[in-house]
Amino acid sequence: LPAGLSQWFPALEVLDVSGTGLTEMGTELLSLPCLHTLLAKNNRLGGPGSLPKGLGQAPLARSLRVLNLSGNRFSEVPPALLQLRGLRSLSLGGNRLHGIPPDIQELQSLEFLYLGGNFITAIPPELGNLPSLRYLVLCDNKIQSIPPQLAQLHSLRSLSLHNNLLTYLPREILNLVHLDELSLRGNPLVVRFVRDLTFNPPSLQELAGRTIKTRNVPYAPSDLPESLVRYLSLASNCPNPKCGGVYFDSCVRQIKFVDFCGKYRLPLMHYLCSPECSSPFSSASQSSTSQSESDSEDEASVAAHRMQKVLLG
């Protein structure tokens, strides 16, 4: 960036240096107290010293609302960006990112996050701690699963996950009550879920723990070692209403198909305590065909009105 920039334009609010071949942005950037939009797309930023030191402590950290660094060479999200607490829009698409730092949750004002076109393999649960996030773009990566904590993004309107490696979605995604658009095209979805679903027999400790929980055997913390008390507190309820059991480490992963908009069927993952447990929404008196239809009807009646667009192709 040219020297004296802050002297020439002390009230500068929008700066666009996209496509200029930049390899670094100098300290002049720190002296622009009114800058709220910085566009630096399609450059060569990403090496050591690409961003000025002290970025998180400069007046810019309070004024900047929109930052677009897409089409550069960042291999990780620069820690300095996580100190820009006033950011509402952050774009880092088309870089070389392999992950998302858990400290992304520090950007509490963030409404738009674009991380498409990278090499991201996993989503940290902390991403669900962004209360204002409305648009989340994670397309064209290598993501294999979605953490259930994303269901905490109650403000989310659009979730783009197309062209990843997803084989299922967590059931908790139904809690995204304001979601208008869900993009899933280009994922393998349930191509191999049948052969991947396995069940390991419960250990003796789990069997004992299940018995204590299902039979409501009374105990006090003073009766058991601390490790066992902690273990018993980790019991998860089986979602089958006809079962009433619990599980700890040993459970059956099962794909549940849910209809949206009367047209698309989404594969959602849920967990049962044993292979003998039937699907929570199926009935033994129904035929296999009616079971398949019934499996989706109850959930569709709750969720279909929540999704106006489900893009699978």
Side-chain angles (χ1 to χ4, degrees), residues 111-114 127 132-139 150 153-162 173 176-185 306-311:
E111 298 177 6
F112 178 90
L113 179 60
Y114 191 104
L127 191 59
S132 302
L133 197 63
R134 294 168 60 88
Y135 302 93
L136 176 58
V137 181
L138 296 166
C139 60
L150 286 197
L153 297 173
H154 300 301
S155 299
L156 201 64
R157 298 293 189 274
S158 177
L159 176 58
S160 296
L161 295 167
H162 52 271
I173 201 168
L176 296 175
V177 295
H178 298 298
L179 200 64
D180 294 323
E181 182 173 295
L182 173 61
S183 178
L184 291 170
R185 64 184 184 274
R306 299 176 181 172
M307 301 256 183
Q308 283 74 48
K309 298 178 184 177
V310 180
L311 307 179

Side-chain angles (χ1 to χ4, degrees), residues 188-208:
L189 291 176
V190 293
V191 170
R192 62 175 187 270
F193 81 89
V194 173
R195 71 169 179 269
D196 283 351
L197 299 185
T198 58
F199 177 69
N200 295 319
S203 64
L204 291 177
Q205 176 176 277
E206 172 145 353
L207 290 173

Side-chain angles (χ1 to χ4, degrees), residues 100-169:
I100 305 172
D103 285 345
I104 194 77
Q105 65 183 342
E106 301 298 327
L107 302 179
Q108 290 286 292
S109 299
L110 207 60
E111 298 177 6
F112 178 90
L113 179 60
Y114 191 104
L115 298 173
N118 283 287
F119 303 96
I120 297 169
T121 57
I123 303 173
E126 289 80 3
L127 191 59
N129 297 332
L130 296 175
S132 302
L133 197 63
R134 294 168 60 88
Y135 302 93
L136 176 58
V137 181
L138 296 166
C139 60
D140 299 292
N141 278 287
K142 299 180 181 298
I143 298 168
Q144 300 183 43
S145 63
I146 304 299
Q149 288 82 0
L150 286 197
Q152 299 167 192
L153 297 173
H154 300 301
S155 299
L156 201 64
R157 298 293 189 274
S158 177
L159 176 58
S160 296
L161 295 167
H162 52 271
N163 299 331
N164 275 286
L165 302 175
L166 297 172
T167 55
Y168 66 90
L169 299 175

Side-chain angles (χ1 to χ4, degrees), residues 18-252:
S18 301
T20 56
L22 277 179
T23 58
E24 63 180 54
M25 291 189 285
T27 55
E28 285 297 317
L29 190 66
L30 306 180
S31 304
L32 296 171
C34 300
L35 191 69
H36 60 70
T37 299
L38 175 58
L39 309 176
K41 303 178 292 181
N42 303 324
N43 285 298
R44 289 179 284 175
L45 300 168
S50 290
L51 302 179
K53 292 182 179 180
L55 180 61
Q57 290 73 44
L60 185 66
R62 294 185 294 273
S63 66
L64 201 60
R65 296 291 180 267
V66 177
L67 177 60
N68 193 325
L69 295 173
S70 292
N72 280 283
R73 302 177 179 180
F74 290 100
S75 58
E76 62 179 17
V77 178
L81 299 189
L82 304 178
Q83 300 177 43
L84 303 177
R85 304 298 169 80
L87 272 186
R88 295 177 185 169
S89 175
L90 175 60
S91 299
L92 281 164
N95 277 274
R96 303 171 181 176
L97 304 179
H98 285 80
I100 305 172
D103 285 345
I104 194 77
Q105 65 183 342
E106 301 298 327
L107 302 179
Q108 290 286 292
S109 299
L110 207 60
E111 298 177 6
F112 178 90
L113 179 60
Y114 191 104
L115 298 173
N118 283 287
F119 303 96
I120 297 169
T121 57
I123 303 173
E126 289 80 3
L127 191 59
N129 297 332
L130 296 175
S132 302
L133 197 63
R134 294 168 60 88
Y135 302 93
L136 176 58
V137 181
L138 296 166
C139 60
D140 299 292
N141 278 287
K142 299 180 181 298
I143 298 168
Q144 300 183 43
S145 63
I146 304 299
Q149 288 82 0
L150 286 197
Q152 299 167 192
L153 297 173
H154 300 301
S155 299
L156 201 64
R157 298 293 189 274
S158 177
L159 176 58
S160 296
L161 295 167
H162 52 271
N163 299 331
N164 275 286
L165 302 175
L166 297 172
T167 55
Y168 66 90
L169 299 175
R171 291 178 56 85
E172 288 80 1
I173 201 168
L174 295 175
N175 295 327
L176 296 175
V177 295
H178 298 298
L179 200 64
D180 294 323
E181 182 173 295
L182 173 61
S183 178
L184 291 170
R185 64 184 184 274
N187 281 282
L189 291 176
V190 293
V191 170
R192 62 175 187 270
F193 81 89
V194 173
R195 71 169 179 269
D196 283 351
L197 299 185
T198 58
F199 177 69
N200 295 319
S203 64
L204 291 177
Q205 176 176 277
E206 172 145 353
L207 290 173
R210 290 186 180 195
T211 300
I212 290 174
K213 285 294 185 179
T214 55
R215 298 188 179 183
N216 295 315
V217 176
Y219 66 91
S222 58
D223 298 334
L224 301 171
E226 182 180 349
S227 60
L228 287 181
V229 173
R230 185 167 56 251
Y231 178 78
L232 288 171
S233 69
L234 299 177
S236 299
N237 292 322
C238 182
N240 182 2
K242 300 177 182 178
C243 171
V246 299
Y247 62 87
F248 293 87
D249 303 310
S250 181
C251 60
V252 179

